[in-house]
């Protein structure tokens, strides 16, 4: 059976060149980068070279790069660090209703600690309106944290406009760029953000390593962990050296291939969207029609439920997602889809297809061949569906799939 | 995550569909929690002669619906009323804990259909 991986927003396969770059740091160069002897020094040198590569990839200074364990830690560090360092200035934090839980739950946790929280709504495409951001800012606002691109529906937020508004009002901006890096051009100066989050395994790097960019001059302090003085006192604990080397290599590769990959994935994505919309009735394309990630297509199929779709597709060798991987085990509909104004039953029918560089047109063709029967089968089982063919007639010789 | 039995019933659900001349129909669940189960019964001489289901829900919801129809078919109403959600889950070799809450409504749907039959029978 053909196997198709359409879940790159959850994680990407690690690039073989990344593995090759990492391997010596798992074997030959094992020193602790904090050690003064030669074993440590040679590893320290590699870590700093990696920092330079990452900085170059996002237009930052190497001193503004802090390596972390991944997106969740970076988001937590960014938000906590600004909140506590700027308490004397104010206690108001603005975010959006469609953030990743690593941001949303961190902001909500601060709300329980006495910070004032504004969670901005989004439009039906999942887009934050910069005017809403401007209207929400008060003289107590210290931080705005709005993601660069959404992990469930792919909508790209107007972060540059938001950052310009924030800068004029003296407010810091953090953006979670976990899904956007490697898919769209990303430059911290162009965006105008103060803090930015990356995660290696979303761009063909290893799991368990990420980046927090902190613009020089930003009033921020590490508040989450106590320990040694690694990462210029910003992130304690021995560095994940192989991970850092891999992250930097992955960043270098995706940056070099950005335009080519963007063009390729856009073509595949558009074929996928057209194929679904042309061949399935009662389906909603979620996310922005144009301001969306090149690799992400997300839908809601009326009358059927997301997990049943995933299981049915999986039985045909296709890996996809319903909402984010983090919420797929939840019984609640996705907070992102609900924020778009969808009803519960429609939000339950979500399917996210996230493409990657190794996907082919044949993968898309196969998916489009399999999908109609999967949807029809589930609809015939659904008490919500109307006007579908008789179950027995359809199930004859078909069972699950095509 | 799911047992082989759950996957078998999801892939090849038994007794899917509607019964036009059903004399008992029960529906439980709501779209906000993600599951709706509808059971159709044909009861003759106090025995469930035919049973079908329609379900909007996850893999566990489909599998429990399918299993409850298998367990109930041929049983007297009293025997069918003794079928519990736990018994349905057990017959499927268990369900993941997080699926017990929302998905295991199948016996409730069956009981609702039996109740519907009994109400109609009373008034007839």
């Amino acid at each position: 059976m053909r196997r198709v991986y359409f879940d790159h927003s959850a994680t990407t396969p690690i690039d073989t060149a990344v593995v090759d770059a990492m391997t010596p740091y798992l074997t030959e160069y094992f020193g602790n980068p904090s050690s003064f002897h030669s074993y440590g020094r040679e590893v320290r040198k590699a870590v700093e070279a990696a920092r330079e590569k990452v900085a170059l990839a996002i237009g930052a200074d190497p001193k503004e790069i802090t390596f972390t364990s991944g997106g969740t830690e970076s988001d937590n560090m960014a938000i906590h660090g600004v909140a506590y360092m700027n308490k004397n200035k104010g206690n108001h934090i603005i975010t959006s209703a469609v953030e990743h839980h690593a941001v949303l739950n961190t902001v909500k946790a601060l709300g329980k600690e006495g910070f004032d929280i504004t969670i901005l709504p989004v439009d039906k495409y999942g887009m934050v309106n910069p005017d809403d951001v401007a209207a929400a800012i008060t003289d107590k606002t210290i931080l705005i944290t709005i993601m660069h691109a959404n992990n469930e529906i792919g909508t790209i937020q107007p972060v540059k406009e938001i950052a310009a508004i924030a800068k004029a009002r003296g407010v810091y901006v953090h953006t979670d760029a976990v899904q956007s890096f490697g898919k769209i051009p990303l430059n911290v100066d162009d965006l105008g953000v103060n803090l930015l989050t990356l995660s290696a395994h979303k761009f063909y790097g290893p799991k368990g390593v990420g980046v927090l960019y902190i613009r020089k001059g930003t009033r921020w302090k590490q508040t989450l962990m106590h320990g040694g003085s690694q990462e210029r006192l910003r992130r304690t604990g021995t560095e994940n050296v192989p991970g850092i080397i891999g992250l930097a290599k992955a960043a270098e590769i995706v940056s070099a291939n950005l335009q080519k990959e963007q063009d390729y994935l856009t073509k595949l994505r558009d074929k996928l969207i057209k194929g679904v919309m042309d061949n399935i009735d009662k389906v909603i394309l979620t996310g922005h029609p144009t301001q969306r990630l090149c690799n992400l297509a997300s839908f809601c199929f009326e009358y059927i439920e997301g997990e049943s779709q995933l299981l049915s597709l999986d039985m045909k060798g296709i890996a996809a997602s319903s909402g984010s991987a983090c919420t797929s085990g939840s019984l609640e509909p996705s907070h992102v889809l609900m924020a778009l104004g969808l009803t519960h039953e429609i939000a339950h029918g979500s399917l996210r297809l996230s493409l990657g560089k190794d996907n082919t047109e044949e993968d898309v063709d196969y998916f489009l061949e399999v999908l109609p029967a999967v949807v029809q089968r589930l609809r015939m089982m659904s008490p919500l569906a109307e006007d579908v063919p008789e179950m027995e007639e359809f199930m004859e010789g078909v069972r699950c799939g095509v | 995550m799911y047992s082989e039995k759950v996957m078998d019933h999801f892939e090849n659900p038994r007794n899917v569909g509607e019964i036009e001349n059903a004399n008992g129909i029960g529906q439980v669940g709501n779209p906000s929690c993600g599951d709706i189960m509808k059971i159709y019964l044909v009861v003759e001489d106090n025995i469930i002669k035919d049973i079908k289901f329609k379900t909007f829900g996850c893999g566990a919801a489909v599998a429990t619906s399918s299993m409850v129809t298998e367990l109930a078919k041929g049983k007297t109403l009293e025997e069918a009323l003794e079928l519990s959600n736990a018994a349905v889950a057990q017959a499927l070799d268990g369900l993941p804990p997080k699926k017990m809450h929302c998905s295991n409504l199948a016996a409730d749907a069956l009981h609702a259909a039996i109740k519907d039959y009994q109400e109609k029978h009373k008034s007839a």
Side-chain angles (χ1 to χ4, degrees):
Chain A
M1 183 168 62
R2 189 183 182 94
R3 294 189 80 205
V4 174
Y5 185 75
F6 277 169
D7 200 14
H8 292 82
S9 294
T11 196
T12 50
I14 191 164
D15 195 307
T16 50
V18 170
V19 177
D20 290 345
M22 290 171 68
T23 303
Y25 295 90
L26 290 161
T27 53
E28 192 179 350
Y29 302 108
F30 60 85
N32 187 324
S34 294
S35 298
F36 282 98
H37 47 62
S38 62
Y39 291 85
R41 287 200 310 273
E42 59 198 6
V43 171
R44 166 60 53 203
K45 204 173 157 189
V47 167
E48 294 316 315
R51 200 183 309 278
E52 283 176 25
K53 278 184 191 171
V54 174
L56 184 67
I58 61 170
D61 184 287
K63 286 180 182 163
E64 297 172 318
I65 301 297
T66 300
F67 293 114
T68 68
S69 68
T72 295
E73 185 185 336
S74 294
D75 287 341
N76 272 265
M77 277 174 64
I79 296 164
H80 267 267
V82 168
Y84 282 99
M85 192 62 181
N86 295 277
K87 263 167 101 174
N88 60 334
K89 188 190 163 204
N91 69 340
H92 181 221
I93 299 170
I94 298 170
T95 190
S96 85
V98 296
E99 297 300 309
H100 189 278
H101 283 131
V103 166
L104 209 49
N105 287 344
T106 303
V107 172
K108 284 178 182 174
L110 287 172
K112 288 179 186 163
E113 292 178 31
F115 287 87
D116 281 339
I117 304 303
T118 297
I119 299 175
L120 295 172
V122 292
D123 66 14
K124 64 181 178 176
Y125 301 124
M127 186 84 89
V128 175
N129 185 340
D131 291 342
D132 290 346
V133 178
I137 296 174
T138 72
D139 58 359
K140 296 285 183 196
T141 308
I142 50 175
L143 178 67
I144 299 166
T145 174
I146 304 285
M147 69 201 326
H148 196 198
N150 187 269
N151 51 309
E152 292 189 41
I153 56 174
T155 297
I156 299 167
Q157 300 292 356
V159 172
K160 187 174 178 172
E161 289 86 337
I162 290 166
I165 292 165
K167 190 177 180 185
R169 304 281 293 271
V171 176
Y172 290 141
V173 172
H174 163 250
T175 194
D176 179 333
V178 161
Q179 292 293 341
S180 59
F181 180 69
K183 321 249 173 36
I184 50 178
L186 194 163
N187 179 287
V188 288
D189 286 341
D190 183 47
L191 278 180
V193 295
N194 302 86
L195 305 107
L196 179 140
T197 292
L198 301 179
S199 179
H201 75 106
K202 307 293 189 181
F203 53 90
Y204 309 99
K207 292 168 185 67
V209 62
V211 167
L212 175 59
Y213 158 80
I214 309 168
R215 183 178 291 279
K216 225 175 282 178
T218 302
R219 282 172 53 79
W220 175 92
K221 71 173 177 181
Q222 200 284 116
T223 59
L224 295 174
M225 296 195 295
H226 302 283
S229 57
Q230 291 90 346
E231 293 293 287
R232 294 157 51 89
L233 292 167
R234 288 174 174 169
R235 204 275 184 175
T236 186
T238 301
E239 291 90 342
N240 172 6
V241 174
I244 288 168
I245 302 298
L247 181 150
K249 184 68 182 174
E252 188 179 52
I253 293 169
V254 293
S255 298
N257 298 325
L258 182 64
Q259 190 60 57
K260 192 179 81 180
E261 297 297 340
Q262 200 176 7
D263 293 345
Y264 178 66
L265 291 172
T266 301
K267 194 175 135 197
L268 285 192
R269 179 203 67 186
D270 290 348
K271 178 179 173 136
L272 186 63
I273 291 175
K274 187 175 185 320
V276 171
M277 301 306 287
D278 286 353
N279 292 300
I280 308 281
D281 64 344
K282 299 196 182 298
V283 58
I284 297 162
L285 175 69
T286 53
H288 198 280
T290 56
Q291 294 301 304
R292 65 186 302 134
L293 290 175
C294 57
N295 73 320
L296 202 146
S298 59
F299 306 93
C300 284
F301 296 89
E302 288 188 46
Y303 311 139
I304 58 177
E305 193 270 346
E307 188 199 274
S308 288
Q309 294 178 62
L310 296 189
L311 290 173
S312 303
L313 290 169
D314 190 47
M315 288 190 283
K316 303 302 288 182
I318 298 166
S321 169
S322 179
S324 72
C326 307
T327 57
S328 62
S330 167
L331 298 174
E332 296 299 315
S334 145
H335 69 285
V336 173
L337 298 174
M338 294 306 289
L340 306 184
L342 297 172
T343 61
H344 277 75
E345 58 264 52
I346 289 177
H348 274 302
S350 66
L351 183 70
R352 178 184 73 177
L353 306 160
S354 45
L355 313 178
K357 65 185 175 69
D358 296 326
N359 285 133
T360 61
E361 282 210 37
E362 287 73 28
D363 290 341
V364 173
D365 289 337
Y366 178 65
F367 173 80
L368 293 174
E369 183 191 333
V370 164
L371 183 70
V374 164
V375 170
Q376 199 169 13
R377 172 182 178 269
L378 293 173
R379 280 183 176 168
M380 279 187 296
M381 271 197 256
S382 170
L384 299 176
E386 293 169 356
D387 301 327
V388 291
E390 282 300 312
M391 186 69 182
E392 289 306 320
E393 182 189 326
F394 182 78
M395 292 294 278
E396 195 63 40
V398 176
R399 287 297 165 199
C400 185
V402 291
Chain B
M1 177 180 170
Y2 285 138
S3 70
E4 279 182 26
K5 268 196 188 173
V6 170
M7 289 309 295
D8 176 40
H9 277 263
F10 175 75
E11 192 170 357
N12 301 294
R14 285 65 147 170
N15 307 308
V16 179
E18 295 174 29
I19 302 176
E20 261 185 40
N21 60 337
N23 51 15
I25 298 174
Q27 182 169 310
V28 296
N30 65 69
S32 65
C33 85
D35 291 314
I36 301 174
M37 293 178 188
K38 196 169 185 178
I39 297 250
Y40 300 83
L41 295 179
V42 173
V43 180
E44 284 173 24
D45 301 329
N46 203 44
I47 288 172
I48 297 174
K49 291 282 185 192
D50 198 7
I51 179 168
K52 286 193 185 295
F53 81 89
K54 282 205 159 187
T55 289
F56 165 83
C58 62
V62 172
T64 52
S65 303
S66 170
M67 178 54 86
V68 82
T69 61
E70 285 225 305
L71 293 173
K73 206 168 191 174
K75 284 198 164 52
T76 65
L77 296 185
E78 291 73 23
E79 286 168 338
L81 280 168
E82 280 176 17
L83 280 172
S84 65
N85 288 324
V88 176
Q90 203 178 355
L92 287 165
D93 293 340
L95 287 171
K98 67 187 172 195
K99 293 290 183 184
M100 293 297 286
H101 158 70
C102 207
S103 301
N104 200 3
L105 295 165
D108 293 344
L110 172 67
H111 297 167
I114 293 172
K115 204 172 171 186
D116 178 58
Y117 167 79
Q118 288 172 332
E119 290 293 320
K120 284 174 183 163
H121 190 68
K122 237 187 253 175
S123 60

